[in-house]
Amino acid sequence: MKVAKFGGSSVANAEQLRKVGNIIKSDPKRKFIVVSAPGKRFKNDTKVTDLLIQLGNAYHNQQNYEVFLVAILERFQEIINDLEIDLSLLSEIENNIKVALRVEGKPESKMDAIKAIGEDSSAKILSAYLNQNTISAQYMNPKDAGIFVSEEPGNAQILPESFELLYKLREKDHILVIPGFFGYSKTGKLVTFSRGGSDITGSIVAAGVKAEIYENFTDVDSVYSVNPNIVNNPKEITTLTYKEMRELSYAGFSVFHDEALIPAFREKIPVCIKNTNNPDAPGTFIIAEKEASEKCVVGIASDTGFCSLYVSKYLMNREVGFGRRLLNIFEDEGISFEHAPSGIDDMSVIFRVNNFTKDKEKIVVDRIKDELKVDTVSLHRDLAVIMVVGEGLVNTVGVAGKAASAFAKANVNIEMINQGSSEVSMMFGIKDTDIDAAIRSLYQTFFE
């Protein structure tokens, strides 16, 4: 029994949905289907979810929202017409949008109801198309499926009792098509996961029904060892562990939402990333464990938008509680940190820039000076983070040396290193202007 999730590019138009139908039909084990909202049909297109957000914002601000409503309905009408489905479904979608706009309560709850229209409509369209083509399928609302979540608009967390309810779906005879991205609170409110949450729904369903495999269909044949926008024709990764994928997702690999693997990981369900446009390609498998290899580095990930706050104080290491008091300042100001490499007299705290505004910067710096009496405190912006990732990497001799040589060869200065805090990765901080040169040199060192 398999769970298959199809992303936005896989349901972007009628042509793609026909491919989805053929994929489902080709394997009778694909009993549970999770879908995203229609994505981009071409490079400069707009995703349906973005149109829905624009619609919700315009309605909330009492601006003209009709232009967005028309654009959304035209997208769905094009798909429905091309698939030759009963046009009454379009009227149902339009009515659902108008109902969502009238949802009472906080603006975030109304926006959740509006955003969920994309996935919900995709599921209804696919279900109708499958039945029209002699594939017995049923649309299933997440509430009826048993997907119950915490009441945190835009950041729902699955409730444990959902998994037992989902398991009962195994008794169904036909294919179930479930919209991704949202569930329901115990009080009956629709609540969405964080953006990209259809991956989370797919993983939750796979864990709940105890699937033999969770297939995640996207628009690439596999996960690549490095960003193909930086390195031409990079090597494909055939197998990853959950830990490796988590590290890669954190540092810029956009194939998976970084929370999505948690339910599957806990049930040790293998995940396979496959291409809707080339379904016969083997894809990339994500598994719980794999055998150690001499070539332990599987991928090199990178991301920009970081800053580093550097603190120095003589004999810091003898001052009991210094690190706790430093991090408490950030907690008080509602700032989460990413890394905290330290020495005997100094410590750096790494943040994402969007969590550390100019206003917060002044408050934090002033508090560090006043409360911790430090010798030096300085902030460095425009940082990029590069992660060299591989299971068993920390215990493999020579990896750090090779990485350092690669940076030197590219004439890139390493601003910071965080090695040893993770068993599967080494983190390097560099200036963001040097990121492409560094990545190419690292790729050449580890993969060529």
Side-chain angles (χ1 to χ4, degrees), residues 369-388:
K369 288 178 179 177
D370 294 341
E371 297 173 27
L372 302 181
K373 311 300 181 189
V374 298
D375 300 324
T376 304
V377 56
S378 58
L379 188 74
H380 305 278
R381 292 185 179 270
D382 304 320
L383 281 178
V385 163
I386 292 178
M387 308 282 282
V388 177

Side-chain angles (χ1 to χ4, degrees), residues 160-224:
E161 55 264 39
S162 299
F163 296 105
E164 188 175 338
L165 294 169
L166 283 163
Y167 188 77
K168 295 177 182 178
L169 298 180
R170 292 172 62 99
E171 300 169 6
K172 300 282 186 181
D173 292 330
H174 34 245
I175 291 166
L176 299 183
V177 184
I178 304 170
F181 189 38
F182 68 98
Y184 284 83
S185 71
K186 284 302 189 70
T187 60
K189 290 183 180 177
L190 186 155
V191 195
T192 66
F193 297 111
S194 53
R195 189 73 190 262
S198 291
D199 286 340
I200 300 176
T201 302
S203 185
I204 288 167
V205 173
V209 303
K210 299 194 183 302
E212 64 185 77
I213 190 168
Y214 168 35
E215 297 176 315
N216 192 291
F217 283 86
T218 179
D219 54 3
V220 294
D221 281 352
S222 65
V223 177
Y224 295 102

Side-chain angles (χ1 to χ4, degrees), residues 100-169:
L101 290 173
R102 294 194 296 270
V103 167
E104 296 180 356
K106 295 180 180 179
E108 310 92 79
S109 296
K110 185 191 294 286
M111 183 60 83
D112 270 11
I114 294 167
K115 289 189 294 185
I117 296 290
E119 281 75 12
D120 195 61
S121 302
S122 282
K124 289 174 179 175
I125 289 171
L126 178 59
S127 178
Y129 173 71
L130 293 174
N131 281 299
Q132 184 175 278
N133 287 271
T134 67
I135 303 172
S136 180
Q138 176 188 345
Y139 158 82
M140 178 152 282
N141 184 279
K143 183 191 287 186
D144 298 327
I147 300 175
F148 290 100
V149 298
S150 60
E151 204 164 301
E152 301 172 74
N155 191 37
Q157 303 296 314
I158 192 70
L159 298 181
E161 55 264 39
S162 299
F163 296 105
E164 188 175 338
L165 294 169
L166 283 163
Y167 188 77
K168 295 177 182 178
L169 298 180

